[in-house]
Every structure is written in C-alpha cells, then in structure tokens.
Amino acid sequence: MTDFSQVDSILNKYTNVSESLIPLFQDIQGLFGYLPQEILRYVADKASLPLAQLAGVATFYSQFCFTPPGKYEILVCLGTACHVNNGESMASIIAAETGLAEKEVSADGLFSWQRVACLGCCSLAPVMMINGQVYGNLTHKKISAIIRQLRKESAGGVKI
C-alpha cells in the first residue's frame, strides 16, 4: 500500500485544488519524477474532483509525464543560445546514442531525455543537463563519451 502522507502535505498547501492543478501537479511530479496514476486517483478522491478533469489538465501540458523517467534523465536545452549553437543536432545525437525518441525510457530504465526551453547556461551552449549536472560546449564526441561513461557506471564500472 502506498503511503500518501507526502501527497497529503502537498494537497494541504492548496486551499482550492481545482484552481491549483498546475502547481499541484508540478509539486507531485517534483516528488515522484512523474505523475503516477494511483496518485492522480488519490488526489481526485481527496479533492472530490472527477479524475477526467485532472487527466485533462495533466495531458494538456507537455511538462507532465506519466511514466517514471530513466535513471539518467537528460534535458537538452533548445533556448536561443543553444539553438544557434546546434542544440537541435545535439538532441538528434542524444536520440541516436540512447536509441530513444524524446520522452521514451530505455528498456533497461537507464535513460530518458527531452527538450527544454532553457537551462540558463547560455555561455556554455549547447548544453544538456543530466540529473542536475550541466554539461556544456557539447559536441558529438562529448555526448558519446558521457553516455558511454554513464552506461559503464551503471554496469558497475568505476566512476572517473
């Protein structure tokens, strides 16, 4: 059985849940990394809202995910500085290196990736972030090396 105490703490922040669904979902996704189906059902029950209303809001916004991210969640910046410095081609390289389409999770659960509007590291463009760590001045070679190193670490290799 799931412990809903953390969800209750989040719910208690909002006096009118139906008018606060977006920040509520952001908080829940921040806690779990995605919006678990059982948590959405729980919120709907606690707030006396139709599950369809919650699902409608959550599916409308691309920022919300319904599956757990990979162990290594890669965010590819496509802000202006990254865009003009081949950010989109970096996204293509990440897709090729991981073998994944955007927002997919690898079968082994290691990788997921998505494009984001800006990571705020413009002087390092093009940039990606993996689990909060920024990697800048990206090239195909750098991306390949980073992905290889993460695979190695996950297989029990020594971190360099």
Side-chain angles (χ1 to χ4, degrees), residues 14 17 27 32 45 59 64 67 84 92 97 102 123 137-138:
Y14 301 98
V17 171
D27 289 347
F32 294 99
D45 289 344
T59 58
F64 299 120
T67 57
V84 299
S92 297
E97 289 289 331
E102 184 174 11
S123 64
N137 301 306
L138 294 175

Side-chain angles (χ1 to χ4, degrees), residues 17-116:
V17 171
S18 68
E19 293 180 3
S20 305
L21 290 176
I22 295 169
L24 172 72
F25 292 162
Q26 289 170 329
D27 289 347
I28 292 170
Q29 187 162 293
L31 178 63
F32 294 99
Y34 70 111
L35 297 177
Q37 214 35 261
E38 73 174 321
I39 300 300
L40 289 178
R41 280 194 287 286
Y42 180 77
V43 169
D45 289 344
K46 287 287 279 190
S48 299
L49 295 171
L51 182 57
Q53 180 181 349
L54 275 67
V57 171
T59 58
F60 181 80
Y61 295 97
S62 64
Q63 68 178 297
F64 299 120
C65 302
F66 301 96
T67 57
K71 177 180 179 181
Y72 300 109
E73 186 175 17
I74 305 169
L75 305 177
V76 183
C77 183
L78 292 180
T80 303
C82 289
H83 175 75
V84 299
N85 284 290
N86 296 319
E88 190 60 51
S89 70
M90 296 302 116
S92 297
I93 292 164
I94 290 166
E97 289 289 331
T98 61
L100 299 171
E102 184 174 11
K103 297 188 179 181
E104 286 183 340
V105 178
S106 59
D108 59 8
L110 279 183
F111 295 103
S112 60
W113 73 275
Q114 66 178 334
R115 293 168 175 89
V116 295

Side-chain angles (χ1 to χ4, degrees), residues 112-149:
S112 60
W113 73 275
Q114 66 178 334
R115 293 168 175 89
V116 295
C118 186
L119 290 172
C121 305
C122 301
S123 64
L124 301 174
V127 173
M128 70 179 175
M129 182 181 285
I130 303 175
N131 296 354
Q133 182 175 345
V134 174
Y135 298 86
N137 301 306
L138 294 175
T139 62
H140 188 158
K141 194 173 190 176
K142 281 185 180 181
I143 291 171
S144 296
I146 292 164
I147 301 288
R148 265 194 318 275
Q149 181 62 35

